[in-house]
mmCIF file of all heavy atoms in Angstrom:
data_model
loop_
_atom_site.group_PDB
_atom_site.id
_atom_site.type_symbol
_atom_site.label_atom_id
_atom_site.label_comp_id
_atom_site.label_asym_id
_atom_site.label_seq_id
_atom_site.Cartn_x
_atom_site.Cartn_y
_atom_site.Cartn_z
ATOM 1 N N PHE A 1 -7.298 -7.353 -1.108
ATOM 2 C CA PHE A 1 -8.458 -6.978 -1.917
ATOM 3 C C PHE A 1 -9.718 -7.673 -1.332
ATOM 4 O O PHE A 1 -10.817 -7.106 -1.254
ATOM 5 C CB PHE A 1 -8.289 -7.377 -3.414
ATOM 6 C CG PHE A 1 -7.506 -6.382 -4.199
ATOM 7 C CD1 PHE A 1 -7.065 -6.722 -5.465
ATOM 8 C CD2 PHE A 1 -7.151 -5.112 -3.684
ATOM 9 C CE1 PHE A 1 -6.321 -5.800 -6.219
ATOM 10 C CE2 PHE A 1 -6.411 -4.230 -4.449
ATOM 11 C CZ PHE A 1 -5.995 -4.546 -5.719
ATOM 12 N N GLU A 2 -9.551 -8.984 -1.007
ATOM 13 C CA GLU A 2 -10.684 -9.793 -0.573
ATOM 14 C C GLU A 2 -11.038 -9.565 0.894
ATOM 15 O O GLU A 2 -12.081 -9.988 1.373
ATOM 16 C CB GLU A 2 -10.357 -11.284 -0.759
ATOM 17 C CG GLU A 2 -10.153 -11.658 -2.219
ATOM 18 C CD GLU A 2 -9.627 -13.019 -2.477
ATOM 19 O OE1 GLU A 2 -9.360 -13.770 -1.387
ATOM 20 O OE2 GLU A 2 -9.445 -13.499 -3.602
ATOM 21 N N ASN A 3 -10.155 -8.933 1.631
ATOM 22 C CA ASN A 3 -10.452 -8.627 3.036
ATOM 23 C C ASN A 3 -11.426 -7.486 3.155
ATOM 24 O O ASN A 3 -11.049 -6.350 2.696
ATOM 25 C CB ASN A 3 -9.132 -8.300 3.764
ATOM 26 C CG ASN A 3 -9.325 -8.180 5.315
ATOM 27 O OD1 ASN A 3 -10.334 -7.794 5.721
ATOM 28 N ND2 ASN A 3 -8.270 -8.486 5.978
ATOM 29 N N PRO A 4 -12.597 -7.656 3.676
ATOM 30 C CA PRO A 4 -13.579 -6.605 3.804
ATOM 31 C C PRO A 4 -13.137 -5.397 4.611
ATOM 32 O O PRO A 4 -13.651 -4.331 4.510
ATOM 33 C CB PRO A 4 -14.835 -7.341 4.350
ATOM 34 C CG PRO A 4 -14.263 -8.488 5.112
ATOM 35 C CD PRO A 4 -13.098 -8.960 4.249
ATOM 36 N N ASN A 5 -12.218 -5.642 5.536
ATOM 37 C CA ASN A 5 -11.674 -4.611 6.379
ATOM 38 C C ASN A 5 -10.619 -3.682 5.705
ATOM 39 O O ASN A 5 -10.174 -2.647 6.192
ATOM 40 C CB ASN A 5 -11.116 -5.133 7.675
ATOM 41 C CG ASN A 5 -12.146 -5.833 8.527
ATOM 42 O OD1 ASN A 5 -13.287 -5.339 8.606
ATOM 43 N ND2 ASN A 5 -11.744 -6.974 9.138
ATOM 44 N N VAL A 6 -10.166 -4.185 4.566
ATOM 45 C CA VAL A 6 -9.128 -3.438 3.766
ATOM 46 C C VAL A 6 -9.747 -2.918 2.472
ATOM 47 O O VAL A 6 -9.908 -1.745 2.235
ATOM 48 C CB VAL A 6 -7.868 -4.287 3.595
ATOM 49 C CG1 VAL A 6 -6.837 -3.483 2.814
ATOM 50 C CG2 VAL A 6 -7.298 -4.775 4.903
ATOM 51 N N GLY A 7 -9.998 -3.854 1.596
ATOM 52 C CA GLY A 7 -10.584 -3.435 0.273
ATOM 53 C C GLY A 7 -9.542 -2.949 -0.699
ATOM 54 O O GLY A 7 -8.369 -2.756 -0.319
ATOM 55 N N TRP A 8 -9.947 -2.818 -1.926
ATOM 56 C CA TRP A 8 -8.991 -2.388 -2.994
ATOM 57 C C TRP A 8 -8.466 -1.035 -2.826
ATOM 58 O O TRP A 8 -7.302 -0.747 -3.071
ATOM 59 C CB TRP A 8 -9.669 -2.586 -4.359
ATOM 60 C CG TRP A 8 -10.622 -1.548 -4.718
ATOM 61 C CD1 TRP A 8 -11.960 -1.511 -4.526
ATOM 62 C CD2 TRP A 8 -10.325 -0.292 -5.313
ATOM 63 N NE1 TRP A 8 -12.522 -0.351 -4.990
ATOM 64 C CE2 TRP A 8 -11.563 0.433 -5.476
ATOM 65 C CE3 TRP A 8 -9.136 0.325 -5.814
ATOM 66 C CZ2 TRP A 8 -11.614 1.649 -6.103
ATOM 67 C CZ3 TRP A 8 -9.261 1.549 -6.450
ATOM 68 C CH2 TRP A 8 -10.442 2.228 -6.554
ATOM 69 N N SER A 9 -9.344 -0.053 -2.426
ATOM 70 C CA SER A 9 -8.880 1.331 -2.354
ATOM 71 C C SER A 9 -7.786 1.520 -1.304
ATOM 72 O O SER A 9 -6.740 2.121 -1.596
ATOM 73 C CB SER A 9 -10.100 2.217 -2.013
ATOM 74 O OG SER A 9 -9.675 3.589 -2.012
ATOM 75 N N LYS A 10 -8.012 1.002 -0.127
ATOM 76 C CA LYS A 10 -7.019 1.077 0.933
ATOM 77 C C LYS A 10 -5.711 0.325 0.548
ATOM 78 O O LYS A 10 -4.613 0.718 0.944
ATOM 79 C CB LYS A 10 -7.566 0.511 2.235
ATOM 80 C CG LYS A 10 -8.592 1.452 2.900
ATOM 81 C CD LYS A 10 -9.084 0.877 4.238
ATOM 82 C CE LYS A 10 -10.145 1.739 4.822
ATOM 83 N NZ LYS A 10 -10.627 1.127 6.136
ATOM 84 N N THR A 11 -5.907 -0.794 -0.202
ATOM 85 C CA THR A 11 -4.733 -1.543 -0.591
ATOM 86 C C THR A 11 -3.872 -0.682 -1.497
ATOM 87 O O THR A 11 -2.631 -0.649 -1.358
ATOM 88 C CB THR A 11 -5.152 -2.808 -1.333
ATOM 89 O OG1 THR A 11 -5.927 -3.665 -0.538
ATOM 90 C CG2 THR A 11 -3.986 -3.622 -1.790
ATOM 91 N N TYR A 12 -4.497 -0.025 -2.454
ATOM 92 C CA TYR A 12 -3.692 0.901 -3.354
ATOM 93 C C TYR A 12 -3.056 2.000 -2.607
ATOM 94 O O TYR A 12 -1.885 2.377 -2.841
ATOM 95 C CB TYR A 12 -4.599 1.469 -4.470
ATOM 96 C CG TYR A 12 -4.597 0.625 -5.721
ATOM 97 C CD1 TYR A 12 -5.582 -0.260 -5.998
ATOM 98 C CD2 TYR A 12 -3.552 0.792 -6.668
ATOM 99 C CE1 TYR A 12 -5.615 -0.956 -7.199
ATOM 100 C CE2 TYR A 12 -3.555 0.111 -7.879
ATOM 101 C CZ TYR A 12 -4.589 -0.824 -8.137
ATOM 102 O OH TYR A 12 -4.539 -1.570 -9.308
ATOM 103 N N LEU A 13 -3.730 2.536 -1.637
ATOM 104 C CA LEU A 13 -3.154 3.616 -0.796
ATOM 105 C C LEU A 13 -1.986 3.076 -0.044
ATOM 106 O O LEU A 13 -0.953 3.846 -0.012
ATOM 107 C CB LEU A 13 -4.209 4.178 0.115
ATOM 108 C CG LEU A 13 -5.408 4.919 -0.457
ATOM 109 C CD1 LEU A 13 -6.453 5.283 0.618
ATOM 110 C CD2 LEU A 13 -4.960 6.230 -1.179
ATOM 111 N N MET A 14 -2.053 1.904 0.585
ATOM 112 C CA MET A 14 -0.963 1.401 1.341
ATOM 113 C C MET A 14 0.205 1.007 0.434
ATOM 114 O O MET A 14 1.356 1.193 0.768
ATOM 115 C CB MET A 14 -1.513 0.155 2.138
ATOM 116 C CG MET A 14 -2.307 0.490 3.309
ATOM 117 S SD MET A 14 -2.711 -0.901 4.341
ATOM 118 C CE MET A 14 -4.000 -1.699 3.407
ATOM 119 N N MET A 15 -0.101 0.568 -0.834
ATOM 120 C CA MET A 15 0.966 0.186 -1.751
ATOM 121 C C MET A 15 1.757 1.492 -2.116
ATOM 122 O O MET A 15 3.030 1.468 -2.163
ATOM 123 C CB MET A 15 0.402 -0.315 -3.035
ATOM 124 C CG MET A 15 -0.059 -1.727 -2.941
ATOM 125 S SD MET A 15 -1.005 -2.254 -4.459
ATOM 126 C CE MET A 15 0.088 -1.809 -5.732
ATOM 127 N N GLY A 16 1.074 2.598 -2.317
ATOM 128 C CA GLY A 16 1.708 3.844 -2.645
ATOM 129 C C GLY A 16 2.645 4.291 -1.534
ATOM 130 O O GLY A 16 3.778 4.695 -1.725
ATOM 131 N N ILE A 17 2.145 4.234 -0.276
ATOM 132 C CA ILE A 17 2.918 4.648 0.852
ATOM 133 C C ILE A 17 4.152 3.679 1.051
ATOM 134 O O ILE A 17 5.239 4.174 1.298
ATOM 135 C CB ILE A 17 2.096 4.629 2.197
ATOM 136 C CG1 ILE A 17 0.949 5.675 2.019
ATOM 137 C CG2 ILE A 17 2.908 4.825 3.353
ATOM 138 C CD1 ILE A 17 -0.064 5.647 3.115
ATOM 139 N N VAL A 18 3.884 2.382 0.902
ATOM 140 C CA VAL A 18 5.020 1.458 1.123
ATOM 141 C C VAL A 18 6.120 1.590 0.117
ATOM 142 O O VAL A 18 7.325 1.655 0.393
ATOM 143 C CB VAL A 18 4.456 -0.040 1.069
ATOM 144 C CG1 VAL A 18 5.648 -1.044 0.942
ATOM 145 C CG2 VAL A 18 3.657 -0.357 2.296
ATOM 146 N N VAL A 19 5.761 1.828 -1.141
ATOM 147 C CA VAL A 19 6.746 2.008 -2.254
ATOM 148 C C VAL A 19 7.605 3.274 -1.953
ATOM 149 O O VAL A 19 8.807 3.243 -2.129
ATOM 150 C CB VAL A 19 6.084 2.066 -3.622
ATOM 151 C CG1 VAL A 19 7.098 2.440 -4.676
ATOM 152 C CG2 VAL A 19 5.490 0.665 -4.012
ATOM 153 N N ALA A 20 6.879 4.340 -1.584
ATOM 154 C CA ALA A 20 7.577 5.605 -1.318
ATOM 155 C C ALA A 20 8.536 5.373 -0.122
ATOM 156 O O ALA A 20 9.727 5.839 -0.186
ATOM 157 C CB ALA A 20 6.598 6.725 -0.983
ATOM 158 N N VAL A 21 8.064 4.712 0.912
ATOM 159 C CA VAL A 21 8.977 4.437 2.074
ATOM 160 C C VAL A 21 10.181 3.591 1.770
ATOM 161 O O VAL A 21 11.236 3.833 2.200
ATOM 162 C CB VAL A 21 8.132 3.807 3.217
ATOM 163 C CG1 VAL A 21 9.038 3.275 4.308
ATOM 164 C CG2 VAL A 21 7.120 4.786 3.761
ATOM 165 N N VAL A 22 9.909 2.607 0.845
ATOM 166 C CA VAL A 22 11.028 1.669 0.437
ATOM 167 C C VAL A 22 12.085 2.474 -0.280
ATOM 168 O O VAL A 22 13.288 2.258 -0.080
ATOM 169 C CB VAL A 22 10.464 0.571 -0.437
ATOM 170 C CG1 VAL A 22 11.618 -0.179 -1.150
ATOM 171 C CG2 VAL A 22 9.681 -0.384 0.387
ATOM 172 N N CYS A 23 11.673 3.349 -1.173
ATOM 173 C CA CYS A 23 12.649 4.198 -1.918
ATOM 174 C C CYS A 23 13.476 5.039 -0.948
ATOM 175 O O CYS A 23 14.658 5.251 -1.101
ATOM 176 C CB CYS A 23 11.986 5.069 -2.961
ATOM 177 S SG CYS A 23 11.345 4.170 -4.357
ATOM 178 N N ILE A 24 12.822 5.652 0.057
ATOM 179 C CA ILE A 24 13.526 6.413 1.059
ATOM 180 C C ILE A 24 14.485 5.536 1.849
ATOM 181 O O ILE A 24 15.595 5.881 2.128
ATOM 182 C CB ILE A 24 12.541 7.166 2.037
ATOM 183 C CG1 ILE A 24 11.718 8.143 1.227
ATOM 184 C CG2 ILE A 24 13.265 7.793 3.147
ATOM 185 C CD1 ILE A 24 10.536 8.794 2.021
ATOM 186 N N PHE A 25 13.962 4.371 2.215
ATOM 187 C CA PHE A 25 14.788 3.364 2.912
ATOM 188 C C PHE A 25 16.048 2.994 2.199
ATOM 189 O O PHE A 25 17.130 2.900 2.729
ATOM 190 C CB PHE A 25 13.930 2.133 3.247
ATOM 191 C CG PHE A 25 14.734 0.970 3.797
ATOM 192 C CD1 PHE A 25 15.012 0.869 5.186
ATOM 193 C CD2 PHE A 25 15.168 -0.071 2.939
ATOM 194 C CE1 PHE A 25 15.737 -0.172 5.670
ATOM 195 C CE2 PHE A 25 15.923 -1.141 3.459
ATOM 196 C CZ PHE A 25 16.175 -1.192 4.808
ATOM 197 N N VAL A 26 15.846 2.734 0.890
ATOM 198 C CA VAL A 26 16.977 2.390 0.058
ATOM 199 C C VAL A 26 18.042 3.510 -0.043
ATOM 200 O O VAL A 26 19.229 3.282 0.061
ATOM 201 C CB VAL A 26 16.542 1.980 -1.359
ATOM 202 C CG1 VAL A 26 17.704 1.803 -2.338
ATOM 203 C CG2 VAL A 26 15.730 0.676 -1.317
ATOM 204 N N LYS A 27 17.526 4.737 -0.226
ATOM 205 C CA LYS A 27 18.432 5.878 -0.273
ATOM 206 C C LYS A 27 19.244 5.980 1.052
ATOM 207 O O LYS A 27 20.492 6.180 1.018
ATOM 208 C CB LYS A 27 17.699 7.160 -0.541
ATOM 209 C CG LYS A 27 18.578 8.415 -0.545
ATOM 210 C CD LYS A 27 17.795 9.686 -0.614
ATOM 211 C CE LYS A 27 18.691 10.940 -0.659
ATOM 212 N NZ LYS A 27 19.528 11.044 0.599
#
């Protein structure tokens, strides 16, 4: 969030992608 090159919006986007990938990885 505090990183100006990332920011909150990109953080949420990356969180969504990571969680989806983790679920596929677990399956």
Side-chain angles (χ1 to χ4, degrees):
F1 280 168
E2 296 172 0
N3 188 329
N5 295 322
V6 182
W8 75 268
S9 182
K10 289 182 180 178
T11 299
Y12 266 100
L13 292 175
M14 285 187 283
M15 283 171 52
I17 294 172
V18 168
V19 170
V21 169
V22 166
C23 287
I24 295 173
F25 171 83
V26 171
K27 177 187 181 298

